[in-house]
Amino acid sequence: MNNNQIIIRLSQACETSEVLSKHIGRVTGLIDAENFAKLMNNLGIESNPRKPKESAVTREINDTLKESPERFHLMSKGILVSSSSCVTLERNRFKLDFENNGYAQPGILDGGHNTYAIAKFLLGYVLDDDGIKKIKDWESLIPVWKAYHEQLSDLFDNTSDENGSLEFKFVIPIEIIFPRNPDDDETLDFWGLSHRDITHARNNNVQLTDATKDNHQGFYDYLKQSLPENIRNKIEWKTNDGGQIKAADIVSLALIPLSRLPKDVIGNEISPVKLYNSKQYCVESFREILEKPGNGNWKGQTYELTNPAIKSAIDLVSELVDLYDFIYEKFPDAYNKAGGKFGRIEGVRIYNDQHTNDKKYSKKPFHTKYYGRETEFQYADGFIVPLVVGLKEIMELDDQDKVKWLFDPKAFLTHNIANILGMYSSIIKFAKFDPQKIGKDKGSYEIVAGAIKMSASNYNKSK
């Protein structure tokens, strides 16, 4: 038996017949703490779209395990596990294989928070309170589990009889799904597609975001690769990942260069207003573009982008992230040079460590959204989103229909942002300095687009 295989024992196990599903098998039953620990040694969370972490839910699970262990199987839906193969043995024992067969990532599909809470509860028998308090999420749980699981095994050996552990009075509902014939191509193809659908269907009851689902399916794989590591690591690609930036924010930036591609590549025209006021629209539009025939294909349950034109557009997102912060930094000064008084706008806050009693001022500097660069002002994104979206006017298609910059965008902005604000500031005043109205007004984007086109034409002539 290799390192990816384990044998676990269930109680009251039931296996569905091939009549219900020709390709996918399903075993349900109850698993005790000792066999759960065996499973935990091999399980991964990669197949689950969410990462479990400490929450009110996990604390309630812990309370039930402490106070009413004999009722836990009645109060919990348990865990759903996928394995690459499952062999039925005698006495309700099952040999499971968790090696990735390339069609589906085995592991926990649903019940990640149950798994996290139960594992942490068991570790409480071999760790002191300080050690338990340090466990806050899946990432901090796993190294502790690896370090102490042998002590747990010893505990089970000393407190068990033929009916299982005497120390732990709870059992956990478990469901195992697997391809019936792991050597059959038709079965594996069906398994790969079904695995993805099952995962998302089971997680719908926790309001899993579409961005998290799309990330899990691989729609963001190329986008991730295009970003600098320090930015990529700040993004919450997966629910409960702990990222500071929502994946939908990056997706909305990606739609800016994508909007320059021909309609036969992207389909419907991309609305600039909705890039600001509907992150759901951004997520759905990005997925629809990638799903268009000819833009990519599926490898098992994972999407792979293949269209070079779309890749060229996504390649510009890394610069757009930097330009977003650059515009945020330069906008107040450019607005002032255009005749405005930015600091006087209601809702704008100013860094000044000499002012301590006025809410308009802060004793600490502010920071840009992505790179965290220090800024003097803090203000709503609605003021600058039309400018960021307007950068598509200095993008063009080359002779291979790939998106590229007309010229260095940062150099262009450095030279022209004050002139662009000279035209754009009129709509800011017309909107009575309300960033929400500005961001949601189609006219804001049209004026900025016109200003950037004019500046680009003059800038091109001067070069």
Side-chain angles (χ1 to χ4, degrees), residues 192-232:
L193 293 172
S194 300
H195 194 274
R196 181 183 70 243
D197 295 338
I198 293 167
T199 302
H200 296 151
R202 293 299 185 95
N203 281 275
N204 274 341
N205 63 338
V206 290
Q207 298 180 330
L208 194 67
T209 67
D210 284 344
T212 296
K213 294 177 184 178
D214 289 349
N215 171 66
H216 189 241
Q217 292 178 301
F219 285 107
Y220 300 156
D221 284 359
Y222 189 82
L223 178 58
K224 289 179 185 178
Q225 296 170 20
S226 72
L227 297 171
E229 184 178 3
N230 58 337
I231 296 298
R232 183 169 63 244

Side-chain angles (χ1 to χ4, degrees), residues 251 255 268-288:
V251 171
L255 289 174
N268 295 327
E269 185 176 343
I270 295 170
S271 165
V273 175
K274 288 187 177 180
L275 294 185
Y276 169 71
N277 71 359
S278 178
K279 291 298 185 281
Q280 182 67 23
Y281 167 85
C282 296
V283 170
E284 291 174 356
S285 296
F286 187 83
R287 186 198 318 119
E288 288 170 3

